[in-house]
Amino acid sequence: MNRTIAVVVFIFLVCGPAPCLRVKADAHTVALMPHWKKGESRTYTMVQGRCTRQGTIPVSVKGTTSVRIEVLDVHEGGYLIGWMAGQTRVDDPNRAMDLFTRAVTDLTCGVTIVLQFDSRTKLRGVQNWRQLQATARESVDATLEEARKAGIDDTTIQRTRRQLLAMLATRQQVEILFTRVPQVFFMPLGLEHAVGCPREYEDKLANPFGGDPFPTRASFTLEKADSSSDTAVVTWRQEIDPVAGAQVLERTMKDLAARMGKSLPSGTTGGFLNVKDEARFALHLSSGWPRHVSHTRTTTVAGASQEESLTFTE
């Protein structure tokens, strides 16, 4: 698979959803609102997996991380949330991650992300994005130095460095990188759902390279709302618009190649692109804290596919 295309495929795995659904309340809707107090915290076990298929041979890797989430402040305008992920343990040490994947994983581990939410938990930004940008650049240097000592050739190291630094060039790109997983975790909160009635809407998948976003079609469905068990279950689906998405992909590939000092072969097009998301959330109705979250994203482009899985368990 063309390396430029391969990077674009992978980059969907570091680019999270940003739903902007708005519905009107009525007698049959349930508003899933956060009820959090300053100082409270929750700890979850996060398991991330990735399976790449090119031809008939799948390549899989899975890692487990402990995540601590703390309410740093509560005010009239919303919440300040600290997201702290520990070091990731690869479940099969004999199946090492490729250099690019390992470097991206290292960027988001062992740091505290300070998330700014409004009162309905719509993400407004990352308060400490400059600090994260500086720390991430140091992490890139450290990871690639280890790779050099392990015998990785300089061409691969320099190419990986350019790809990683391109993801950290602006505030928007830093926030996309560091909020991908938190956005999935908090996604159904602050919205109003009618039990059993899908809420369909059009959305956009942010482009981590700063180009045009990818148009999508998505829906939320409140499958269950049971006050006796203090449980709500929400499912979410999203799929990229294939025609518009291919056009955006082609522009992104050209821009990425230009940033790397290269040009795409004559006649190169965006080709077929499909990105599909499916997620399930089990929440505490009384507080809004998730009990369990599962999310799968499948990306198919240029004859290859990748499936990313993400789960959180209390």
Side-chain angles (χ1 to χ4, degrees):
M1 181 168 55
N2 179 282
R3 178 167 293 277
T4 301
I5 296 176
V7 172
V8 174
V9 171
F10 175 82
I11 212 65
F12 281 106
L13 306 184
V14 298
C15 180
C20 55
L21 178 64
R22 294 181 177 86
V23 299
K24 295 182 178 180
D26 58 39
H28 304 289
T29 61
V30 176
L32 299 178
M33 301 298 296
H35 299 285
W36 302 332
K37 296 180 181 179
K38 181 178 179 179
E40 69 174 302
S41 64
R42 294 288 190 279
T43 300
Y44 294 85
T45 297
M46 178 178 72
V47 178
Q48 294 176 287
R50 184 162 68 96
C51 179
T52 303
R53 291 179 180 274
Q54 187 171 8
T56 59
I57 303 175
V59 178
S60 301
V61 64
K62 184 177 290 186
T64 303
T65 309
S66 177
V67 177
R68 184 173 181 270
I69 304 168
E70 181 178 353
V71 182
L72 302 177
D73 193 20
V74 179
H75 51 83
E76 185 177 348
Y79 301 89
L80 202 63
I81 303 293
W83 180 283
M84 294 146 277
Q87 295 300 317
T88 297
R89 184 186 76 252
V90 179
D91 290 357
D92 182 0
N94 296 320
R95 188 182 292 279
M97 296 185 224
D98 64 81
L99 180 58
F100 184 78
T101 306
R102 177 192 164 195
V104 171
T105 301
D106 288 347
L107 293 181
T108 55
C109 291
V111 298
T112 298
I113 308 167
V114 182
L115 305 165
Q116 299 168 305
F117 291 99
D118 66 15
S119 59
R120 300 183 71 88
T121 59
K122 179 176 177 60
L123 184 64
R124 294 302 185 186
V126 177
Q127 187 182 73
N128 62 333
W129 73 270
R130 289 187 184 277
Q131 177 187 352
L132 293 172
Q133 184 185 53
T135 301
R137 286 171 174 167
E138 293 174 0
S139 176
V140 169
D141 290 338
T143 299
L144 296 184
E145 180 59 28
E146 288 182 16
R148 179 177 285 106
K149 291 179 180 178
I152 302 297
D153 64 274
D154 285 343
T155 300
T156 299
I157 288 175
Q158 292 307 316
R159 180 176 60 242
T160 303
R161 184 187 303 278
R162 288 193 297 269
Q163 293 167 354
L164 292 168
L165 293 181
M167 295 166 56
L168 298 167
T170 67
R171 175 175 183 171
Q172 179 192 27
Q173 289 165 302
V174 171
E175 292 188 336
I176 288 173
L177 175 64
F178 283 96
T179 62
R180 175 187 67 92
V181 173
Q183 283 208 76
V184 173
F185 184 84
F186 294 111
M187 189 189 306
L189 291 178
L191 302 176
E192 296 164 344
H193 306 267
V195 178
C197 298
R199 297 288 188 173
E200 299 179 351
Y201 63 103
E202 294 182 353
D203 207 348
K204 295 179 180 179
L205 190 63
N207 191 325
F209 292 105
D212 296 334
F214 294 84
T216 67
R217 301 184 183 95
S219 67
F220 279 102
T221 304
L222 178 60
E223 304 285 354
K224 173 184 177 181
D226 182 8
S227 57
S228 64
S229 62
D230 191 33
T231 302
V233 176
V234 179
T235 56
W236 176 71
R237 292 177 174 82
Q238 175 178 247
E239 190 163 6
I240 201 167
D241 182 307
V243 176
Q247 295 171 350
V248 174
L249 176 60
E250 181 177 353
R251 293 194 294 270
T252 298
M253 290 166 55
K254 290 180 179 178
D255 183 58
L256 177 61
R259 293 187 192 187
M260 296 172 64
K262 300 181 179 181
S263 59
L264 293 178
S266 178
T268 299
T269 64
F272 173 79
L273 169 68
N274 187 43
V275 180
K276 181 182 294 184
D277 289 282
E278 293 184 331
R280 184 180 186 274
F281 307 85
L283 311 167
H284 293 278
L285 267 175
S286 58
S287 66
W289 286 111
R291 297 174 182 267
H292 181 80
V293 175
S294 63
H295 171 245
T296 300
R297 168 170 288 176
T298 303
T299 304
T300 304
V301 63
S305 67
Q306 293 189 76
E307 180 178 286
E308 182 195 34
S309 61
L310 172 68
T311 64
F312 287 91
T313 306
E314 279 188 310

